[in-house]
Amino acid sequence: MRGAGNGATSPHRRDAAHATSWGPGAKPAVSGREGEEGATPKTSPKTSAATHRHRKPDDRGVSMLEFAGFLPFLLVIGMAAIQLGLVGYGANQAGSAARAAARAESLTPGSGGAAASGAASTWLHPSAAVSTGDTVTATVTVHVPAVIPLFGGWDLHRTATMPNDRDNGGS
């Protein structure tokens, strides 16, 4: 007969302390007297402790509240990372536009502002200031908008200097 004896043939080994069968339809053993208030069912040796964890009724939803309290900090950190990326992108665009404006102005007078506007993203609203002499210096200012609503954005300035090719006869 299966399950009788020492349990070597049974897939569910039983200790001598657990005299209750764990087959289908079996009632779990109860610590204390049967039917007594406060008696708790014993668990099977094969069930995990996590499935029988008893919580106080007032502990439900605490992790949700902790997450809801921490969520604003996570959002601010994420928005700050995006803002930092936008500032880096704006600095890169301003530097590229300044080099383009200085090079264009050194080759063709009066074309630096158009070259700066064409080299930078239009949503950054680039503006160029060009000065000439022995060298051509172009300063481009771009406005990086703020992702975090408390700030108004930043103006970034980049300057580039190129030799004036017009003084050398174009060569």
Side-chain angles (χ1 to χ4, degrees):
M1 179 162 105
R2 194 176 167 113
N6 64 0
T9 59
S10 172
H12 302 289
R13 293 188 60 122
R14 295 184 300 179
D15 295 336
H18 293 95
T20 308
S21 170
W22 291 99
K27 292 175 138 183
V30 177
S31 64
R33 294 186 181 160
E34 188 88 25
E36 189 177 295
E37 187 175 333
T40 57
K42 292 182 181 178
T43 60
S44 164
K46 293 194 66 113
T47 59
S48 68
T51 58
H52 293 283
R53 183 182 304 151
H54 296 285
R55 291 186 172 180
K56 294 178 185 175
D58 58 347
D59 282 350
R60 288 183 287 171
V62 170
S63 62
M64 179 63 87
L65 287 175
E66 289 172 354
F67 179 71
F70 192 65
L71 186 63
F73 295 111
L74 288 176
L75 290 175
V76 168
I77 289 170
M79 290 170 68
I82 292 169
Q83 186 69 62
L84 202 67
L86 282 176
V87 168
Y89 177 75
N92 185 18
Q93 289 287 298
S96 296
R99 283 189 299 278
R103 182 67 183 153
E105 188 71 28
S106 71
L107 294 174
T108 309
S111 64
S117 295
S121 296
T122 56
W123 61 271
L124 292 172
H125 306 293
S127 62
V130 180
S131 64
T132 58
D134 291 340
T135 59
V136 176
T137 302
T139 301
V140 174
T141 303
V142 296
H143 180 76
V144 178
V147 174
I148 300 173
L150 301 175
F151 302 107
W154 294 270
D155 288 334
L156 301 176
H157 311 282
R158 293 293 181 262
T159 302
T161 302
M162 295 279 178
N164 194 342
D165 288 341
R166 288 174 285 146
D167 291 342
N168 297 335
S171 54

